[in-house]
Amino acid sequence: MANSKELVLSDSVGCPEFIQDLLPSAERTALLYHLSYLCLGGFPRLESLIRERALETQTLFASSGAVLLKCVSTSNNLVKSLFPMLMHAVENNEPSVAVKHLEKARSWIHDIIKDVEDMVYRYEHHNLSVASCTSDVFQEQSDNENQLVEHSDHIKNLNKAIQKLDEEMKKTVQDVANLEKKIEEKNAELERHLEHTSKKSNGMSIMAALVPFFGLLIKFIVDAATVPGEAAKTQSLKADLSRLTNEKRDLQNKEWDIHVKQTELELELASAKIHLGVIPDPVHLKDVQKCLSQIQQILVDLKKFWEKVASLLDSLQNKTFVAEDLIDELSDMKDDFLMSIEVAEECWARFGSSCQKAQAIFSVQFVDEYKFLDISPSSLTAAQRQQQHDFILNKLNHINTRASLK
């Protein structure tokens, strides 16, 4: 157990992966709105519709940032209030004090769960609003305009190229989905293994309750190596998971490369249609919906994470501070408990920092990334429009590819 005090926390240990995925999703949303605005903004009614939806998204992002700030506050409360009081309760053999503070922590966490649940509902409702906007674009297109498009060889060739990329994208998306299923199964196997291993050691059991992050628990088991064979199995499962995750990341990179190529061709297609006086298809609004759905799923994962934390703290309270037989034995595992709290403090501080960064992402999006709405696309020259197209494509090319459109 002494080795575990020397743990060096990596950046990922205190940050569940879903938090890190917020950045590319939020950035893409603004850029895709910008493309939609440029392509459809020359048509007054559509320009107004897109502006309304973009402003709704901007407001939603501000609310999302507020929820993440609450996650930061709760993480800080765990570090500065709950954990010190648990240490005090253990050192002074006062289980009733520990129970009182665990119940307070549970109320903080249930407040967050309720707030995140509300945000998930708001994203779902908003996505339907964007979908309605997309339908309105199609309704604006007339049969006469479609006939003009059908007689353009350039547009026909662009449609064929896009169709070819669509087929390649479908295959890649399916490959990613297959890998995600394998990763989910391997994660479940690893979680069962960690739960089984933690039951064999008081110290590990306490650590599992206070620090619900796989990375740290894996390192704890490997470093402690108190049960023969457990460390080796943990390493093997971790290696399998890392291999699958790397394969998925490679495929997601390929998926994003295809998406960028599609975006370039779709912009060229939109320009060709606009030149004919035809309303282009709202492809970028569809991509906005995908990004919003991804952010919604990230919030669902955040809700599940806090539900898991609440369950673990309940278990800690019931098994350690309520059961009379364990209270009598508390002095025997005092060192393990205190060491676990020390590690938990550092880990939760990092998680709070990660949530702070995620909150800052939404704050920047709210303040800066929707300024393009201040200028009507119809007032731009062809050169200015092209300049903005190039700028957006360049930014899309440089976005972190960890979270792909699905």
Side-chain angles (χ1 to χ4, degrees):
M1 302 295 290
N3 290 340
S4 60
K5 294 182 182 179
E6 300 172 4
L7 287 174
V8 177
L9 302 181
S10 68
D11 288 340
S12 62
V13 165
C15 180
E17 185 174 305
F18 56 80
I19 292 293
Q20 300 172 12
D21 290 341
L22 281 170
L23 174 58
S25 298
E27 285 184 324
R28 287 172 187 164
T29 302
L31 292 170
L32 291 166
Y33 265 127
H34 195 168
L35 284 177
S36 299
Y37 201 54
L38 287 172
C39 293
L40 301 170
F43 305 91
R45 179 170 176 269
L46 299 181
E47 179 179 325
S48 176
L49 287 173
I50 294 171
R51 179 191 295 275
E52 288 175 9
R53 299 305 179 270
L55 290 174
E56 287 173 6
T57 300
Q58 194 179 23
T59 301
L60 197 59
F61 279 6
S63 298
S64 302
V67 171
L68 285 164
L69 204 56
K70 198 164 186 176
C71 291
V72 175
S73 175
T74 299
S75 299
N76 289 340
N77 284 337
L78 292 176
V79 172
K80 296 177 180 179
S81 178
L82 176 64
F83 295 151
M85 290 309 303
L86 288 180
M87 292 179 76
H88 172 82
V90 171
E91 288 170 339
N92 294 278
N93 197 25
E94 297 177 343
S96 61
V97 174
V99 170
K100 175 184 175 182
H101 286 275
L102 283 167
E103 288 176 349
K104 185 182 293 185
R106 185 169 53 187
S107 71
W108 301 334
I109 291 167
H110 283 305
D111 283 346
I112 286 181
I113 291 171
K114 183 177 181 299
D115 288 346
V116 176
E117 195 170 43
D118 178 61
M119 287 306 305
V120 170
Y121 170 79
R122 289 177 62 185
Y123 270 92
E124 183 177 4
H125 181 74
H126 178 57
N127 217 340
L128 291 174
S129 178
V130 177
S132 175
C133 180
T134 303
S135 298
D136 288 340
V137 175
F138 283 120
Q139 289 176 5
E140 287 282 311
Q141 296 173 329
S142 70
D143 292 338
N144 182 52
E145 289 170 342
N146 290 332
Q147 289 173 10
L148 287 174
V149 168
E150 288 173 2
H151 288 86
S152 169
D153 289 336
H154 179 51
I155 288 178
K156 287 180 183 178
N157 291 333
L158 285 172
N159 278 323
K160 287 179 181 178
I162 291 172
Q163 185 177 6
K164 185 176 179 181
L165 284 174
D166 285 343
E167 292 170 359
E168 188 178 357
M169 176 65 88
K170 287 179 183 177
K171 182 181 182 306
T172 306
V173 167
Q174 185 58 55
D175 290 342
V176 171
N178 292 338
L179 270 175
E180 285 178 337
K181 185 176 180 181
K182 292 179 181 178
I183 289 171
E184 185 177 344
E185 292 170 351
K186 189 61 66 175
N187 262 322
E189 184 180 357
L190 180 57
E191 187 166 4
R192 288 193 299 270
H193 171 68
L194 292 176
E195 183 179 358
H196 171 75
T197 304
S198 69
K199 290 179 180 178
K200 298 181 179 182
S201 162
N202 280 333
M204 184 62 201
S205 179
I206 295 167
M207 177 71 76
L210 293 174
V211 187
F213 306 107
F214 269 12
L216 185 57
L217 294 179
I218 291 169
K219 185 166 179 57
F220 188 95
I221 292 174
V222 173
D223 286 358
T226 55
V227 183
E230 296 296 341
K233 184 174 181 180
T234 303
Q235 286 280 47
S236 176
L237 289 171
K238 179 187 175 185
D240 290 344
L241 191 56
S242 295
R243 175 181 55 79
L244 290 170
T245 301
N246 288 335
E247 288 180 19
K248 177 186 171 183
R249 185 174 296 116
D250 289 341
L251 278 174
Q252 285 179 320
N253 289 341
K254 177 182 178 182
E255 185 180 353
W256 184 244
D257 288 342
I258 296 171
H259 180 73
V260 171
K261 290 177 184 176
Q262 285 177 316
T263 302
E264 291 174 350
L265 289 176
E266 285 160 353
L267 279 176
E268 187 176 349
L269 180 61
S271 296
K273 287 186 175 182
I274 291 171
H275 182 71
L276 290 174
V278 175
I279 298 174
D281 293 335
V283 288
H284 306 303
L285 279 178
K286 291 181 180 178
D287 287 339
V288 166
Q289 290 175 246
K290 293 175 185 177
C291 286
L292 291 173
S293 294
Q294 188 169 43
I295 293 173
Q296 180 181 338
Q297 183 57 51
I298 291 168
L299 290 171
V300 169
D301 291 339
L302 182 63
K303 175 174 173 282
K304 290 179 180 178
F305 169 77
W306 282 111
E307 287 173 340
K308 178 182 178 182
V309 173
S311 176
L312 290 171
L313 291 182
D314 284 346
S315 177
L316 180 68
Q317 174 179 322
N318 294 332
K319 292 182 179 179
T320 306
F321 295 105
V322 175
E324 291 297 332
D325 56 330
L326 289 179
I327 291 174
D328 293 337
E329 298 172 7
L330 196 56
S331 59
D332 296 332
M333 57 180 183
K334 181 178 294 187
D335 289 343
D336 288 338
F337 198 100
L338 297 179
M339 179 275 298
S340 296
I341 289 180
E342 289 176 4
V343 177
E345 285 178 339
E346 184 175 355
C347 196
W348 276 100
R350 283 180 176 254
F351 176 72
S353 177
S354 298
C355 289
Q356 182 86 62
K357 291 176 183 176
Q359 184 274 332
I361 290 167
F362 284 112
S363 178
V364 168
Q365 291 291 317
F366 179 74
V367 174
D368 296 329
E369 299 304 317
Y370 289 82
K371 289 183 177 178
F372 64 86
L373 295 171
D374 295 340
I375 301 174
S376 172
S378 58
S379 68
L380 299 175
T381 65
Q384 289 172 328
R385 190 186 298 268
Q386 186 60 50
Q387 185 180 29
Q388 290 196 24
H389 282 170
D390 294 342
F391 171 76
I392 296 169
L393 286 174
N394 182 60
K395 291 196 74 172
L396 285 171
N397 270 306
H398 287 87
I399 286 178
N400 186 330
T401 58
R402 286 187 57 226
S404 64
L405 292 177
K406 297 177 183 178

